[in-house]
Amino acid sequence: MLSHTEENYLKAIFNLELSHSKNVSTTLIAKNLHTKASSVTDMIKKLAEKNLVNYQKYKGVTTTTEGKKRAIKVVRKHRLWEVFLVEKLNFNWDEVHEIAEQLEHIESDELIERLDTYLNYPTKDPHGDPIPDAKGKMRAEKAILLSNANKDILYKITCVKDNSSALLQFLDKHALNIDSELTVLDKFDFDNSITVELNNGNNLTLSHKICTNVFVTIK
Amino acid sequence: MLSHTEENYLKAIFNLELSHSKNVSTTLIAKNLHTKASSVTDMIKKLAEKNLVNYQKYKGVTTTTEGKKRAIKVVRKHRLWEVFLVEKLNFNWDEVHEIAEQLEHIESDELIERLDTYLNYPTKDPHGDPIPDAKGKMRAEKAILLSNANKDILYKITCVKDNSSALLQFLDKHALNIDSELTVLDKFDFDNSITVELNNGNNLTLSHKICTNVFVTIK
DNA sequence: ATTTATTTTTAGAGTAGTCTAAATTTATGA
DNA sequence: TCATAAATTTAGACTACTCTAAAAATAAAT
């Protein structure tokens, strides 16, 4: 059985491995968990001792097969609880992250499977992130960043990168949601902003920062 | 903000205060939390420092007004989650205690009020225990122990004292539930067992141990 | 009332996790 | 390639909580 802290480290390492690929560095983990590099080193040693990460001094870490399994389980729990909070308790999608961060550590296999059933086996959370199934399989999304989208092609939003309230509230205010459809009309070299047309006919100019935090697929 | 451990101590002290009345002893708390008396002394000092309990060396503790408020909130959360687990996720009443023991520490006022709304403001948990409302008010139940019930009077079960699976499974097997109706037919001095008649006409003889763990009120 | 038993507290130490500051290793760049 | 910068690890200390064993206080019993 892992402590909440161990689970948090494992989840962070796993996520960073996916987004930054291969050997995750100590400082990157520290930044992610708002802690210090020295604390990370200590914890990494502990996780390596338990065969949950591969670790060589000064070379960063990767998760082992067992480590991945544990991390995926935490991710599954986090995302299922997010669906519960939004679908059943009517929370807004920008309010659920902190609470799910706590709920993901509740220990009970039976609970999580019953929750999954109750929610009717959802495959994505309110932010569009895929929910791993009970075996740990996760839908591989061939989504691209909105910043890399081409002009005059119809896309739909599938996922947002950042779960911060600030981003989610911005999207809400501009009627942008998971499954919203849009076409890129213009790309501006000056500040890398782009103008999109929504399927209600409205035009919207989005900053580069927004575009690098929103994933889309061709509709 | 209190740690899980502090909340657990506070809840235990509060419950023992209700059941054993006045100045709860160090050993009683230790037994209740499966820890050692010396650990209890340490924690009591910490809680006294925060004005959550009144403490005089060697004289036991009582909760302060603020301490009671915090304890009641934990109890409210525990019991609401138990209702959720039974009503929505179809757990049996003997399976929910351990999980609720974890869920009761999730920190979010918004969450607990939305859960309450979602469950349609229940007033008792699956074991018949009263759920405090958002202001901390709890229904005062004038229930008596089945062991103190009189002959030939129609009672109904309102609550069970012990949340252990063993007791709950015994009751399940004998079709005894919250709101089950029964009449005491006989009381045996030899072993303090009693014979009851259920409203389906069946007779049942119950041991003293069972009778001191089941609460009833006159129907 | 004084011994004995029980309860409670203190003292000292251990584990999990955190930090700062210093030392070491790796990466960078003239 | 050699100096310097950046990243990483170690060392030592701190908080929260736990324990055992011994000391002190209270309760019980002759």
Side-chain angles (χ1 to χ4, degrees):
Chain A
M1 246 213 53
L2 299 179
S3 69
H4 291 196
T5 313
E6 288 171 320
E7 286 193 343
N8 284 336
Y9 270 91
L10 218 43
K11 191 180 67 159
I13 296 166
F14 176 75
N15 281 332
L16 291 169
E17 221 174 343
L18 288 184
S19 57
H20 291 67
S21 77
K22 287 273 104 181
N23 293 55
V24 183
S25 77
T26 305
T27 27
L28 193 58
I29 299 167
K31 246 167 221 152
N32 212 259
L33 293 176
H34 304 103
T35 183
K36 296 294 142 83
S38 56
S39 307
V40 174
T41 304
D42 282 353
M43 181 54 84
I44 281 172
K45 285 182 187 166
K46 211 175 130 191
L47 293 175
E49 195 63 44
K50 296 186 176 185
N51 285 309
L52 297 169
V53 298
N54 306 113
Y55 172 55
Q56 281 189 91
K57 271 190 191 179
Y58 299 100
K59 305 289 182 191
V61 285
T62 57
T63 49
T64 62
T65 307
E66 180 60 23
K68 275 189 188 68
K69 218 176 99 184
R70 306 289 196 107
I72 287 172
K73 195 166 162 183
V74 177
V75 169
R76 170 168 162 78
K77 290 196 277 184
H78 182 104
R79 293 180 182 167
L80 280 175
W81 279 116
E82 284 198 343
V83 173
F84 169 73
L85 294 171
V86 169
E87 300 273 304
K88 302 294 184 181
L89 299 195
N90 299 119
F91 275 99
N92 206 303
W93 71 337
D94 67 309
E95 302 172 316
V96 298
H97 186 73
E98 308 300 318
I99 302 175
E101 207 71 11
Q102 298 178 61
L103 286 164
E104 73 188 7
H105 300 296
I106 301 293
E107 166 89 13
S108 167
D109 289 345
E110 186 68 24
L111 172 62
I112 204 63
E113 296 323 314
R114 280 174 188 253
L115 186 63
D116 193 25
T117 304
Y118 183 55
L119 299 172
N120 205 20
Y121 312 103
T123 57
K124 41 165 77 182
D125 78 9
H127 311 101
D129 290 308
I131 299 175
D133 67 20
K135 293 191 192 82
K137 283 247 171 61
M138 215 187 315
R139 166 178 56 83
E141 186 73 74
K142 65 252 158 286
I144 59 166
L145 280 178
L146 179 53
S147 54
N148 297 325
N150 294 315
K151 276 205 249 186
D152 303 320
I153 295 178
L154 184 62
Y155 291 97
K156 75 170 179 187
I157 298 177
T158 57
C159 187
V160 294
K161 201 176 190 176
D162 187 342
N163 282 339
S164 73
S165 296
L167 171 65
L168 301 179
Q169 281 167 14
F170 174 92
L171 297 176
D172 267 351
K173 279 271 161 57
H174 295 82
L176 295 171
N177 294 296
I178 303 300
D179 292 331
S180 288
E181 293 173 20
L182 52 79
T183 312
V184 178
L185 295 182
D186 256 318
K187 305 181 96 172
F188 302 100
D189 288 342
F190 177 65
D191 62 352
N192 287 311
S193 65
I194 68 173
T195 299
V196 299
E197 181 183 336
L198 306 182
N199 60 353
N200 61 12
N202 285 357
N203 286 6
L204 206 57
T205 299
L206 300 170
S207 72
H208 185 62
K209 175 123 191 216
I210 295 291
C211 297
T212 54
N213 278 285
V214 173
F215 286 102
V216 296
T217 53
I218 294 172
K219 171 73 182 174
Chain B
M1 247 213 54
L2 300 179
S3 69
H4 291 196
T5 314
E6 289 171 319
E7 286 193 343
N8 284 336
Y9 271 90
L10 218 44
K11 190 180 68 157
I13 295 166
F14 176 75
N15 282 331
L16 291 170
E17 222 175 341
L18 288 184
S19 57
H20 291 67
S21 77
K22 288 273 105 182
N23 293 55
V24 183
S25 77
T26 305
T27 27
L28 193 57
I29 299 167
K31 246 167 220 151
N32 212 259
L33 294 175
H34 304 106
T35 182
K36 294 295 142 80
S38 56
S39 308
V40 174
T41 304
D42 281 355
M43 181 54 84
I44 280 171
K45 284 182 186 167
K46 213 175 129 191
L47 293 174
E49 195 64 44
K50 296 186 177 186
N51 283 310
L52 297 169
V53 298
N54 306 111
Y55 171 55
Q56 281 189 92
K57 270 191 190 176
Y58 298 101
K59 305 290 182 189
V61 285
T62 58
T63 49
T64 63
T65 307
E66 181 60 24
K68 275 189 188 68
K69 218 176 100 184
R70 306 289 195 106
I72 287 171
K73 196 168 163 183
V74 177
V75 168
R76 171 168 161 78
K77 290 196 277 184
H78 182 104
R79 293 180 181 167
L80 280 174
W81 279 117
E82 284 198 344
V83 173
F84 168 73
L85 294 171
V86 168
E87 300 274 304
K88 302 295 185 182
L89 299 195
N90 300 118
F91 275 99
N92 206 303
W93 70 337
D94 67 308
E95 301 173 315
V96 297
H97 186 72
E98 307 301 318
I99 302 175
E101 207 70 12
Q102 297 178 63
L103 287 164
E104 72 187 8
H105 300 294
I106 301 295
E107 167 89 14
S108 167
D109 289 345
E110 186 67 25
L111 172 62
I112 203 64
E113 297 323 314
R114 281 175 188 253
L115 185 63
D116 193 25
T117 303
Y118 183 56
L119 298 172
N120 203 21
Y121 311 104
T123 58
K124 40 166 76 182
D125 78 8
H127 311 101
D129 290 307
I131 299 175
D133 67 21
K135 292 190 194 85
K137 284 247 171 62
M138 213 189 310
R139 165 177 57 82
E141 186 73 74
K142 66 251 156 289
I144 59 167
L145 281 176
L146 179 52
S147 54
N148 296 326
N150 294 313
K151 276 203 246 185
D152 303 321
I153 295 177
L154 183 62
Y155 291 98
K156 75 170 181 189
I157 297 176
T158 57
C159 185
V160 294
K161 202 176 190 177
D162 186 343
N163 283 340
S164 73
S165 296
L167 172 65
L168 301 178
Q169 281 168 14
F170 175 92
L171 296 176
D172 267 351
K173 279 269 160 59
H174 295 82
L176 294 171
N177 294 295
I178 304 299
D179 292 331
S180 289
E181 293 173 20
L182 51 81
T183 311
V184 177
L185 296 182
D186 257 316
K187 305 181 94 172
F188 301 102
D189 288 341
F190 177 65
D191 62 352
N192 286 311
S193 65
I194 66 172
T195 299
V196 299
E197 181 182 338
L198 305 181
N199 61 354
N200 62 10
N202 286 357
N203 285 7
L204 205 58
T205 299
L206 300 170
S207 73
H208 185 61
K209 175 123 190 216
I210 295 291
C211 297
T212 54
N213 279 286
V214 173
F215 285 102
V216 296
T217 54
I218 294 173
K219 175 71 182 172

